[in-house]
């Protein structure tokens, strides 16, 4: 099945529970290992020889992975009718730049996630880059607006209010839909640390034309 999403033709492949278990068991540990490598790359002060040896080893592994079958860039997956965005920059199990967020949905429509942002996401020293906060909130508001990504609603506009610096480390994000009007859903959310809210956001999420035609 294919759907237009912006200028890309998005192709959805259906996975069985058995295939999902295999993908998770195989690729999630690799992804986590690369996350640890990213963190180590940011923080290391190793000697020149160690750095040179590591670069050669990493380049060899990269060539090995790319010499095998690769996933096309516009392919996403579904299981039991719900999306499984393995490459998503916020939640993707196969994307090492994703924290990753694990999003929980409540019966009242609210959603939340608890996660850790380490040195790979630093902006000012000791603080999360503001763009990373925006990415998290864009995704969380989208999760709320689309009811767990089960409805095709995409970001129309989003505004971010930075109340104070967001420290690196354990964080929590929450989001909910404040109202809906026709093909638009209005969502709000925040990021907080142990001391309270650090960033707030509100956004408008819109159903694309192809989804309206399909109804």
């Amino acid at each position: 099945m294919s759907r237009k999403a912006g200028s890309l033709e998005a192709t959805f492949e259906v996975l069985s529970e058995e295939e999902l278990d295999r993908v998770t068991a195989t690729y999630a540990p690799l992804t986590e290992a690369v996350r640890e490598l990213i963190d180590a790359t940011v923080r290391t002060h190793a000697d020149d020889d160690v750095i040179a040896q590591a670069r050669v080893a990493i380049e060899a592994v990269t060539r090995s992975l790319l010499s095998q079958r690769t996933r096309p860039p516009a392919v996403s997956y579904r299981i039991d009718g719900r999306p499984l965005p393995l490459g998503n920059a916020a939640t993707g199990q196969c994307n090492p730049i994703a924290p990753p967020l694990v999003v929980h949905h409540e019966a009242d429509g609210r959603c939340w996630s608890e996660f850790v942002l380490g040195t790979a996401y630093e902006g000012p020293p000791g603080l999360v880059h503001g763009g990373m906060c925006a990415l998290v909130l864009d995704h969380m508001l989208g999760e709320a607006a689309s009811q767990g990504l089960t409805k095709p609603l995409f970001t129309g506009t989003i505004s971010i209010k930075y109340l104070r610096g967001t420290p690196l480390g354990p964080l929590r994000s929450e989001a909910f839909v404040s109202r809906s009007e026709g093909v638009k859903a209005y969502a709000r959310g925040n990021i907080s640390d142990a001391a309270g809210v650090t960033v707030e956001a509100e956004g408008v999420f819109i159903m694309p034309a192809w989804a309206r035609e399909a109804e």
Side-chain angles (χ1 to χ4, degrees):
M1 178 178 65
S2 297
R3 293 291 191 193
K4 283 288 187 179
S7 59
L8 283 179
E9 183 78 15
T11 302
F12 300 115
E13 295 184 5
V14 178
L15 295 181
S16 66
E17 288 285 355
E18 183 178 1
E19 289 169 325
L20 175 60
D21 289 343
R22 184 191 67 80
V23 167
T24 301
T26 302
Y27 295 108
L30 170 63
T31 305
E32 184 57 35
V34 177
R35 286 192 187 103
E36 293 176 1
L37 175 61
I38 291 171
D39 182 74
T41 301
V42 173
R43 297 192 297 117
T44 187
H45 282 167
D47 294 337
D48 292 356
D49 288 346
V50 173
I51 295 297
Q53 292 169 11
R55 177 178 58 79
V56 170
I58 292 166
E59 289 173 347
V61 170
T62 300
R63 287 194 300 271
S64 174
L65 292 174
L66 292 178
S67 70
Q68 305 295 311
R69 182 170 60 91
T70 58
R71 177 175 62 86
V75 171
S76 188
Y77 300 92
R78 290 185 180 277
I79 182 166
D80 294 334
R82 57 186 173 83
L84 183 68
L86 296 176
N88 186 280
T91 63
Q93 294 184 44
C94 294
N95 191 342
I97 70 168
L101 302 181
V102 177
V103 184
H104 304 272
H105 290 265
E106 303 293 347
D108 63 1
R110 290 176 176 264
C111 64
W112 59 274
S113 180
E114 294 181 343
F115 51 95
V116 176
L117 295 182
T119 53
Y121 307 103
E122 187 174 60
L127 300 176
V128 179
H129 193 292
M132 187 63 198
C133 293
L135 183 151
V136 168
L137 285 166
D138 184 25
H139 186 87
M140 291 298 295
L141 269 61
E143 285 265 0
S146 64
Q147 299 179 19
L149 307 183
T150 61
K151 290 189 173 183
L153 280 86
F154 298 99
T155 311
T157 60
I158 187 169
S159 60
I160 310 290
K161 184 177 182 181
Y162 297 92
L163 305 181
R164 59 183 172 88
T166 300
L168 296 173
L171 299 166
R172 179 183 175 94
S173 182
E174 302 179 359
F176 63 95
V177 173
S178 56
R179 73 182 194 277
S180 297
E181 295 178 2
V183 298
K184 297 180 180 180
Y186 296 79
R188 302 182 68 178
N190 62 65
I191 295 174
S192 60
D193 64 1
V197 174
T198 63
V199 189
E200 296 177 337
E202 56 182 16
V204 182
F205 294 79
I206 305 171
M207 181 179 292
W210 59 258
R212 302 174 207 175
E213 295 166 359
E215 291 191 331

